[in-house]
């Protein structure tokens, strides 16, 4: 995928941009404006057992115009990809700005950014939209069949594939064309305990959402994993239920990424810290007055933000207000040192430049300050393996894979479950446990971080569905982390929690 | 482009089913006593379903001209040819078998325009001013939405559905952000909402937070306000499909089949739906381009009659598309896009007055599944937990994480108040729900949350 897809370039992009800039120039009071043209290709395939349940493709396409009139934002989006449609939308956006102006107390100001005229493409080997549907469906049905052959009661495989094209032009002179692709293969097998306990157990494969093409799916090793998953499920159903209490935890990157996402990545969004999400997604305990002093966790904690990581889900050339991609520190030596910013937040925070975290999930929505790839760096001094970490635990639990997750609106209290839990006994894995959830408070949890895996153990994980904003927007994001050892974290038994 | 043109262009090119969709939204956000962002969006899209010898292909896209729709039909047919036969194949419905046109739907205005915001702007401006003058901070969101769908099938079905929704939510905090309360309201249009009344309620509630009461985790009698009840019953509703019960995957799976007919909840609990409820009108026919537990693409046009899911504490119905019903000997039961929990005429204030000791919970947040077998959920209380003693609110309590199942909550419900249009805090006005406040015994607060 080294060229922008012709279907996107066939849209009258320059004419639409000219219409936007021309109408903005003729509209009273416009001090800044931009237009984003989006065209996505989204294909979802869902197979269950031996059947194709759905195979659908959608192509949402349209544009959003954003402008500032007398210090007030105005935004309008439309699917009418004509010059007259753009002109009408600019007029509608200006109308929105003027309509809401009486409610405004704080004028919009943006941190500066140089103008960019560039094309950026996120490289993938095998564009999923160039692979025939029957090849993909047959591959997925073979995987569910593998689960059933191994004894699963049910087996499902979803695969969501997305290609995004964006064209951005601003009144400040930027003109940027971008393309990236991503996919998320999810194979899940389930067993019901036929002995009558009523227990239902499901398990997902270890495949991750990635900024890669179909080559990732075919190389993952689903045929072998399908059989393994059913074996793991059988073992889990027969395993002892955990006794609640404090445990030493070794957490695999396949689980820890989500804890990092919820408790650190969301907690260090500056728009949350300033109250912009107080009515919906929430705020954060990591307030701006504590930059440089807030102890987020153990001194081993080094967390970075970036929009550069190869194959990352938040990786771009430029963000949705034309700011070039960057990398920076968020937590260093366990101390809060930085935030995620867009141009408005950077200006409000008296910083010279945004670090490029503006994102909109659609032509229909105004870009918000959204999460970059936020990653926990590995132990820089030693290439510690997972086994090295396990060997440091006398009695504890090793957790793999994410499942249920929940955190409060200020990013303090959280509860996570997982796909698999193994008892650690004398530094060795000693069979699975079930009904495990860990619950903690963010600074306490990260304060209990005692050891990290080394560079070889670091993995990039992530999600397609990070939610925030009103109207609600979803964003794809990656998080890299090594396995890590945490001392004495509270573990619950979910069966006991549910009994009344 | 008109929806009729989309539908006829698609059917003319050989599609089996075409759905034209037009939607508009206007909105604005508030934070720290000022407006922050706003937006207007309008979209026109086409969804086409091709069926080739029982194989299905689907293409949806935003469109501006008929030629695009014709191309999509070609794409959908090509996809169908590469697919195996669909497991839910059924003959498409004829006009005689399908729903009848809902003439009242045509009375619903099809577009949300910037002017739809105007009825509340002056009131919101005054609220922000009052909040500033009072040394408080006000946050919020308002939106109005309108959508219009036109369904056409090659068998001659033509049905139009319209839906309008609006909501306003406000959060009021003290200047130091140490105390916080939330309230939201929903209606079909913003003009039906009263921002000043919501603000007055929040002001009263914020005053009740002046006395802080720290309570530990444990089991409490709680009064859940309608928003929290809406979250609970929606989660329950999402599991009410026959397929999951047949396969043993949900809380509705019994040892010898689905738990239909079983007294799963307190005898006072009744849950039903009616697509033509005048306050929560939704399209009264199936229109879908994706098959799932909740519906089949072959059921497009099927009438959606009122449903009684739970009656007198007994589970009565589960969602079931035609083919699954035929193959598994169940009644056909289409999904409905609204939900009502029946109640009494007792007001929330009367319930509080009749309380010896309970927690009053305003809203719930970040609710996620923990265990499908029991439908155990985890989540948090947010922006308003109050201690009620001897018939009065006596102070604000810290937030909690809860671990509870809606099935257990509705089984331990001992009092039900007067239903109202309720705004699920997590789902927003995408879901139309009428819910009452309810009193629940033994609600499990698993741990304390420091969040404010």
């Amino acid at each position: 995928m080294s060229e922008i897809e012709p279907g996107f370039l066939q849209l009258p992009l320059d004419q639409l941009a000219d219409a936007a800039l021309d109408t903005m120039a003729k509209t009273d009071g416009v001090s800044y404006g931009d237009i984003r043209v989006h065209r996505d290709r989204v294909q979802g395939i869902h197979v269950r057992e031996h059947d194709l349940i759905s195979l659908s493709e959608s192509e949402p396409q349209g544009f959003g115009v954003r402008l500032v009139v007398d210090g007030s934002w105005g935004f309008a989006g439309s699917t009418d990809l004509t010059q007259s449609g753009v002109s009408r939308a600019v007029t509608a956006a200006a109308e929105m700005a003027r309509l809401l102006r009486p409610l405004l107390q704080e004028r919009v100001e943006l941190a500066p950014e140089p103008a960019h005229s560039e094309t950026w493409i996120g490289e993938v080997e095998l564009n999923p939209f160039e692979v025939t549907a029957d090849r993909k469906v047959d591959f997925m049905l073979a995987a569910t069949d593998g689960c059933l052959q191994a004894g699963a009661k049910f087996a499902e495989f979803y695969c969501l594939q997305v290609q995004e094209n964006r064209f951005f032009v601003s009144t400040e002179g930027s003109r940027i064309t971008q393309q990236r692709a991503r996919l998320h293969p999810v194979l899940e097998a389930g067993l019901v305990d036929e002995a009558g306990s009523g227990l239902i157990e499901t398990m997902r494969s270890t495949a991750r959402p990635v900024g890669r093409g179909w080559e990732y799916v075919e190389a993952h090793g689903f045929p072998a994993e399908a059989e393994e998953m059913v074996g793991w499920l059988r073992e889990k159903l027969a395993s002892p239920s955990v006794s609640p209490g404090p445990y030493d935890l070794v957490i695999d990157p396949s689980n820890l990424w989500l804890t990092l996402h919820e408790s650190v990545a969301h907690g260090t969004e500056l728009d949350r810290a300033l109250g912009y999400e107080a009515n919906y997604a929430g705020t954060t305990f990591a307030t701006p007055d504590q930059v440089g002093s807030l102890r987020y966790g153990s001194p081993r904690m080094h967390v970075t933000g970036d929009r550069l990581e190869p194959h990352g889900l938040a990786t771009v050339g430029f963000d949705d207000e034309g700011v070039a991609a960057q990398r920076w520190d968020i937590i260093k030596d366990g101390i809060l040192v930085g935030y995620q910013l867009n141009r408005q937040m950077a200006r409000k925070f008296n910083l010279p430049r945004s670090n490029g975290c503006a994102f909109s999930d659609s032509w229909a929505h105004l870009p918000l300050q959204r999460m970059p790839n936020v990653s926990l760096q590995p132990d820089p001094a030693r290439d510690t393996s997972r086994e090295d970490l396990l060997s440091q635990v006398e009695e504890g639990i090793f957790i793999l894979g994410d499942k249920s997750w929940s955190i409060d609106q200020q990013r303090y209290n959280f509860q996570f479950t997982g796909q698999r839990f193994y008892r650690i006994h004398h530094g060795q894995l000693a069979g699975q446990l079930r009904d495990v959830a860990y619950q903690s408070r963010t600074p306490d949890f990260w304060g209990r971080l005692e050891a990290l895996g080394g560079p070889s153990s670091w993995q990039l994980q992530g999600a397609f569905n990070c939610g925030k904003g009103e109207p609600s927007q979803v964003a794809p994001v990656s998080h890299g982390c090594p396995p890590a050892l945490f001392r004495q974290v509270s573990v619950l038994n979910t069966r006991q929690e549910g009994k009344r | 482009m008109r929806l009729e043109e989309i539908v006829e262009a698609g059917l003319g090119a050989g599609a089996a089913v075409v759905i034209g969709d037009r939607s508009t939204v206007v909105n604005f956000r508030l934070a720290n006593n000022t407006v922050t962002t706003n937006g207007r969006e309008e979209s026109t899209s086409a969804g086409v379903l091709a069926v080739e010898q029982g194989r299905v292909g689907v293409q949806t896209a935003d469109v501006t001209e008929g030629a695009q729709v014709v191309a999509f039909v070609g794409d959908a047919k090509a996809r169908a040819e590469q697919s195996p036969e669909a497991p839910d194949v059924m003959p498409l419905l004829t006009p005689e078998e399908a729903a009848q046109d809902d003439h009242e739907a045509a009375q619903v205005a099809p577009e949300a325009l910037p002017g739809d915001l105007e009825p509340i702007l002056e009131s919101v401006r005054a609220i922000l001013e009052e909040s500033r003058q009072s040394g408080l901070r006000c946050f919020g969101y308002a939106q109005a939405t309108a959508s219009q769908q036109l369904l056409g099938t090659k068998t001659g079905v033509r049905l139009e559905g319209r839906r309008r929704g609006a909501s306003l939510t406000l959060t009021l905090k003290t200047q130091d952000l140490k105390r916080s309360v939330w309230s939201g309201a929903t209606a079909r249009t913003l003009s039906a909402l009263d921002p000043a009344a919501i603000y007055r309620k929040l002001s009263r509630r914020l005053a009740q937070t002046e006395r802080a009461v720290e309570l530990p985790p444990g089991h409490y009698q709680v009064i859940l306000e309608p928003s929290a009840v809406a979250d609970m019953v929606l989660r329950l509703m999402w599991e009410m499909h026959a397929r999951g019960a047949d396969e043993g995957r949900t809380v509705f799976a019994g040892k010898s089949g689905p738990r239909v007919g079983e007294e799963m909840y307190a005898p006072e609990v009744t849950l039903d739906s009616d697509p033509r409820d005048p306050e929560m009108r939704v399209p009264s026919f199936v229109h879908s381009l994706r098959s799932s537990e909740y519906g089949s693409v072959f059921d497009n046009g099927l009438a959606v009659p009122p449903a009684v899911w739970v009656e007198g504490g007994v589970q009565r119905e589960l969602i079931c598309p035609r083919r699954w019903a035929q193959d598994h000997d169940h009644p056909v039961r289409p999904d409905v896009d609204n939900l009502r929990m029946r109640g009494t005429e007792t007001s929330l204030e009367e319930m509080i007055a009749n309380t010896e000791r309970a927690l009053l919970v305003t809203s719930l947040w970040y609710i996620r599944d923990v265990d499908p077998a029991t439908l155990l959920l985890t989540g948090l209380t947010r922006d308003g937990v109050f201690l009620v003693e001897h018939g009065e609110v006596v102070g604000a309590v810290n937030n909690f994480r809860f671990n509870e199942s809606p099935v257990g909550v509705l089984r331990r419900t001992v009092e039900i108040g007067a239903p109202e249009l309720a705004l699920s805090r997590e789902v927003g006005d995408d879901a139309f729900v009428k819910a009452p406040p309810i009193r629940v015994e033994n609600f499990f607060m698993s741990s304390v949350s420091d969040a404010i």
Side-chain angles (χ1 to χ4, degrees), chain A residues 48 73 156 280 405 441, chain B residues 38 247 249 368 382 450:
Chain A
R48 261 178 93 150
W73 280 123
E156 296 187 67
Y280 181 64
W405 73 102
R441 181 178 175 275
Chain B
N38 60 71
E247 295 178 335
R249 301 172 70 154
R368 293 293 182 272
R382 180 173 176 184
D450 294 333

Side-chain angles (χ1 to χ4, degrees), chain A residues 43 45 47 52 55 128-142 161 214 218, chain B residues 55-56 78-84:
Chain A
Q43 188 181 73
I45 306 175
V47 307
L52 171 66
L55 193 173
F129 293 92
E130 290 171 4
V131 179
T132 59
D134 52 354
R135 174 172 159 185
K136 292 189 271 195
V137 171
D138 288 349
F139 182 88
M140 294 167 68
L141 285 170
Q161 307 138 80
W214 188 253
E218 293 192 338
Chain B
R55 299 156 178 243
V56 168
R79 207 159 292 127
E81 284 164 6
Q82 292 178 28
S83 299

Side-chain angles (χ1 to χ4, degrees), chain B residues 96-167:
Chain B
E96 293 72 31
E97 294 166 326
Q100 300 305 300
D101 203 18
D102 180 1
H103 298 293
E104 287 177 38
Q107 309 301 316
V108 177
E111 257 195 307
L113 299 166
D116 288 323
L117 300 174
E118 285 184 34
I120 64 165
L121 285 183
E122 176 50 32
S123 178
V124 171
R125 192 202 58 75
I127 284 170
L128 297 180
E129 180 62 28
E130 187 175 337
S131 172
R132 261 193 307 277
Q133 297 289 334
S134 308
L136 303 174
R137 296 201 213 185
C138 188
F139 308 79
Y141 179 64
Q143 76 167 9
T145 63
S147 65
Q148 182 182 12
Q149 295 85 30
L150 184 65
L151 167 71
T153 71
K154 70 176 185 182
T155 49
V157 172
R158 299 288 185 279
L159 290 166
E160 184 185 347
R162 294 184 184 185
R163 184 188 194 278
R164 283 209 68 131
S167 60

Side-chain angles (χ1 to χ4, degrees), chain A residues 262 272 281-283 285 406-415 440-442, chain B residues 365-366 380-382 399-401 448-452:
Chain A
E262 299 292 357
R272 277 178 177 270
T283 59
F285 67 91
S406 175
I407 190 164
D408 71 34
Q409 74 275 13
Q410 229 176 342
R411 304 284 142 177
Y412 273 128
N413 177 307
F414 61 69
Q415 178 176 309
S440 192
R441 181 178 175 275
T442 295
Chain B
W365 184 245
Y366 224 122
L380 296 124
T381 62
R382 180 173 176 184
N399 279 308
F400 293 100
R401 169 171 299 286
V448 166
S449 157
D450 294 333
I452 298 165

Side-chain angles (χ1 to χ4, degrees), chain B residues 10-29:
Chain B
L11 294 175
V17 176
V18 181
I19 299 176
D21 187 294
R22 178 166 170 74
S23 72
T24 46
V25 182
V26 288
N27 61 64
F28 66 86
R29 298 184 91 182

